[in-house]
Amino acid sequence: MNLTRWSARLPGTQRRSAVPAARAKTGDPAGTPAAGRAVVGGGRPEAARAADGPLTDDFAQVTGAPSVPDVLTRLPALIAVMHGPAHRVGFVNDAYTEVFGPRATGAPAREALPELDELGLLPLMDQVRRSGKPRTVKARKVTHGDGPTITRQGYFTFTCTPVDADDPDPERRGVLMFAADVTDQVQSAERLRESERRLHETAVTLQRSLLPQELEQPDDLRVAATYQPGGTDAAVGGDWYDVITLGAGRTALVIGDVMGRGVRAAAVMGQLRTAVRAYARLDLPPHEVIQLLDGLASEIDATQIATCVYAVHDPSEGRLSYASAGHLPIVIRDPDGTVRRADEPTGPPLGTGGWIHTSGSIPLGPGCTAVLYTDGLVERRDQDIDDGIAALTQALAGATGSPQVVCDRLLRSLGVTSEHDDDVAVLVLQYPDHTGGDAELFRNASLDLLGGIEAAPRARAFASGVLASWRFPVELRDLGVLAASELVANSLKHGHPPMRLRLRRTDRRLIIEVTDGDEHLPRRRRAEPGDESGRGISIIATIASGWGSRRTPGGGKAVWCEFALPEYPEYPDGGA
């Protein structure tokens, strides 16, 4: 059966127009459209005819199809058609009037459609009319009313398309404005951004909670630190730092970086930081602390790579002892502006195992500034990390002021902003050069002891004279002399030469320390009533604010105690 032939006999089929259309394609004069017939508006696009007021669509009359205005009126999008240099309004659909209210045609858009002027669309329509190219503006906020007192806000994306751009008559050239309601999309995007912002704030809060809430402030150092989270995602980083006072004026400083981001990295970081504080209380050399951390890191998570540098500052020695596990070098600025790097020694990152770490030292005297940092400060995707360290060295050479000021200047100099893609941690310490009145508050005195029966009386006389010259109260002076006598007696009995008694005062405390050549550390023990020894350390622990002992780098040990000054709250009432 020939379906084509049979379909030609059915009413309402497209077969009726097939012959004229075919003739038109073959150039048959019978196929030439009559004026105002199948081609709407004399060959112009149908949308343009909407700008001509009342429309007659002969094609719609012949076929029974809906007219162009009918189609545009029923569309849910906002549509307005304007023509001429003044953008005279020719047509607005029902959706447009539902949002902005009834609008008259025939008048310029600036008068008839004032909302387009408020939205800044009139200059855009001028550009479209001149260039003949469509333009789009996204998510413009629109306020419209549902009644006398009820208003709503929504977002619309406006597209302006040229109409009859090639028409020589400027009054016939126009613009079709098409607006789509994107309120749901914009609100969804805002909710997503708000959720991401809250997640990021939560991550940063978690990260900061794992860092020291307040840095310990040693007597002899001024310290400051800053942490800048990287990126805008919700993943926490693994950068960390800490300052730990060890007693006897010594201070431990540590900074590290667990590679990667996420809760797992933050958890490893928190465990390492807690472990460092515990190991630091043992007053071990830096390389032994790193060695212990190395074993712990492999037990926590063998897949996580972490770097760390642990340093100890001793004001009596004027040096910074350190050990590094794959971390970037410490940089030190001398009082004259010269910057040095503590490059050696260094070992592999934590958790690798099988490596014997060693300690190094670098001078850090009065007036010096040291900077410890993580790789986010100096590492960039488009340059070698050595270039970043060189930039840090140059920035530190000109960075003066307090430690916090130095932190801020380094971040600015190296281009670290809130949009930085990596976490940054910076720890700055300064060893002030005390002059004037401060020089009276920071004093040192030492005495070499050769041993023998005269060592103890010499130590007591030396301590009494020094403490008197420092103008301490009589009560504190007596306690200091007693502590010096007990420490020297303990060293004479259990140690061996060389021995030295050292007294040191700061603005907060008096420190008494005795060193000798024996490595056995004293322990506090309970002495029985009949024992003739074993009470020295107990006496020290009772009268002093704190005491401790450690092995010295060259072999031997140091035993120390300290007394808080009377105006300092750690000072025990009555000295007991």
Side-chain angles (χ1 to χ4, degrees):
M1 180 181 292
N2 190 334
L3 296 178
T4 305
R5 183 185 62 181
W6 278 95
S7 64
R9 301 178 183 180
L10 297 176
T13 63
Q14 297 179 357
R15 187 65 178 173
R16 296 177 180 177
S17 59
V19 174
R23 290 177 179 176
K25 291 181 180 179
T26 58
D28 192 334
T32 303
R37 206 168 190 181
V39 179
V40 179
R44 292 182 293 118
E46 294 177 354
R49 298 199 66 232
D52 295 336
L55 300 178
T56 60
D57 194 333
D58 294 341
F59 180 73
Q61 295 175 359
V62 173
T63 63
S67 64
V68 172
D70 290 339
V71 173
L72 297 181
T73 298
R74 297 172 186 174
L75 289 178
L78 281 60
I79 296 177
V81 182
M82 294 141 285
H83 57 269
H87 303 299
R88 185 164 50 87
V89 180
F91 172 81
V92 292
N93 69 345
D94 293 343
Y96 193 100
T97 59
E98 287 179 4
V99 173
F100 295 109
R103 294 293 185 264
T105 59
R110 187 177 298 275
E111 300 173 4
L113 308 178
E115 57 275 359
L116 299 185
D117 188 19
E118 296 173 0
L119 293 170
L121 295 178
L122 294 182
L124 183 70
M125 292 164 55
D126 291 336
Q127 296 178 14
V128 171
R129 190 174 179 279
R130 288 194 303 267
S131 65
K133 297 180 180 180
R135 295 287 189 274
T136 299
V137 292
K138 296 182 179 180
R140 288 291 176 90
K141 188 175 182 180
V142 173
T143 301
H144 53 93
D146 289 340
T149 59
I150 301 177
T151 59
R152 292 189 304 162
Q153 290 182 342
Y155 294 86
F156 290 82
T157 292
F158 294 86
T159 299
C160 297
T161 303
V163 175
D164 281 343
D166 299 330
D167 197 309
D169 186 357
E171 291 295 334
R172 300 177 69 90
R173 294 197 298 270
V175 176
L176 183 146
M177 190 278 296
F178 179 96
D181 189 347
V182 293
T183 304
D184 292 341
Q185 296 92 315
V186 171
Q187 292 177 347
S188 297
E190 289 180 349
R191 287 193 296 269
L192 179 60
R193 285 193 296 269
E194 178 64 19
S195 176
E196 291 177 346
R197 184 188 63 80
R198 288 196 299 266
L199 288 174
H200 180 66
E201 289 180 352
T202 301
V204 172
T205 301
L206 172 61
Q207 171 76 19
R208 295 190 184 278
S209 67
L210 295 173
L211 296 173
Q213 301 305 301
E214 185 176 353
L215 290 179
E216 296 183 22
Q217 296 295 327
D219 296 358
D220 296 276
L221 296 178
R222 293 185 297 174
V223 296
T226 186
Y227 168 74
Q228 176 69 52
T232 58
D233 57 8
V236 293
D239 293 17
W240 53 287
Y241 56 82
D242 210 345
V243 177
I244 309 164
T245 54
L246 302 178
R250 302 166 69 250
T251 306
L253 307 113
V254 58
I255 195 165
D257 184 5
V258 179
M259 301 304 174
R261 298 176 64 82
V263 175
R264 186 58 187 168
V268 173
M269 177 267 283
Q271 294 178 78
L272 290 177
R273 176 176 172 258
T274 302
V276 166
R277 294 195 69 87
Y279 296 150
R281 297 306 178 190
L282 301 175
D283 215 343
L284 299 172
H287 67 276
E288 293 190 22
V289 173
I290 292 295
Q291 204 76 48
L292 291 172
L293 285 176
D294 184 34
L296 179 64
S298 60
E299 294 176 6
I300 294 174
D301 190 342
T303 63
Q304 287 281 4
I305 298 176
T307 64
C308 177
V309 60
Y310 179 86
V312 176
H313 177 254
D314 189 341
S316 300
E317 302 292 338
R319 300 189 69 83
L320 188 69
S321 301
Y322 65 93
S324 175
H327 204 78
L328 298 170
I330 303 172
V331 291
I332 296 177
R333 180 185 184 274
D334 291 330
D336 60 359
T338 304
V339 179
R340 298 170 284 125
R341 301 184 191 179
D343 291 321
E344 297 293 342
T346 186
L350 299 176
T352 56
W355 183 268
I356 304 300
H357 292 270
T358 58
S359 296
S361 66
I362 188 170
L364 184 70
C368 292
T369 300
V371 178
L372 292 75
Y373 53 97
T374 57
D375 58 359
L377 181 66
V378 296
E379 189 174 28
R380 301 292 182 271
R381 298 179 185 273
D382 56 349
Q383 69 179 17
D384 189 81
I385 194 170
D386 289 335
D387 296 335
I389 297 176
L392 170 61
T393 301
Q394 183 177 1
L396 181 59
T400 58
S402 67
Q404 188 59 58
V405 170
V406 173
C407 282
D408 297 339
R409 289 183 176 179
L410 292 180
L411 291 181
R412 288 196 303 269
S413 299
L414 295 173
V416 177
T417 64
S418 58
E419 289 79 23
H420 196 60
D421 59 357
D422 193 8
D423 294 359
V424 176
V426 181
L427 178 62
V428 175
L429 62 139
Q430 292 179 345
Y431 184 20
D433 187 5
H434 298 291
T435 58
D438 284 349
E440 296 295 324
L441 300 178
F442 293 83
R443 306 284 292 273
N444 287 278
S446 61
L447 173 69
D448 291 329
L449 301 173
L450 302 178
I453 59 173
E454 75 282 357
R458 287 187 60 207
R460 286 192 293 269
F462 175 78
S464 178
V466 170
L467 297 181
S469 68
W470 289 350
R471 296 194 294 267
F472 281 135
V474 175
E475 184 180 6
L476 181 58
R477 188 190 317 165
D478 292 342
L479 291 175
V481 172
L482 175 59
S485 177
E486 291 295 335
L487 290 179
V488 169
N490 187 76
S491 180
L492 290 172
K493 183 172 183 178
H494 300 287
H496 57 77
M499 292 181 291
R500 170 178 288 188
L501 170 63
R502 182 162 56 192
L503 306 179
R504 175 175 172 78
R505 72 154 296 169
T506 69
D507 59 340
R508 298 181 181 181
R509 69 197 77 237
L510 165 67
I511 302 167
I512 302 173
E513 184 179 68
V514 174
T515 60
D516 62 50
D518 186 77
E519 294 186 352
H520 293 87
L521 301 180
R523 295 182 297 109
R524 184 181 180 182
R525 62 185 179 89
R526 181 184 298 273
E528 297 298 332
D531 293 343
E532 297 182 358
S533 62
R535 295 184 176 85
I537 296 300
S538 295
I539 294 174
I540 295 296
T542 301
I543 65 175
S545 303
W547 76 279
S549 61
R550 71 180 188 279
R551 291 187 175 90
T552 54
K557 67 177 180 295
V559 185
W560 57 269
C561 68
E562 60 184 23
F563 297 86
L565 298 187
E567 62 271 19
Y568 200 61
E570 292 182 10
Y571 183 68
D573 293 338

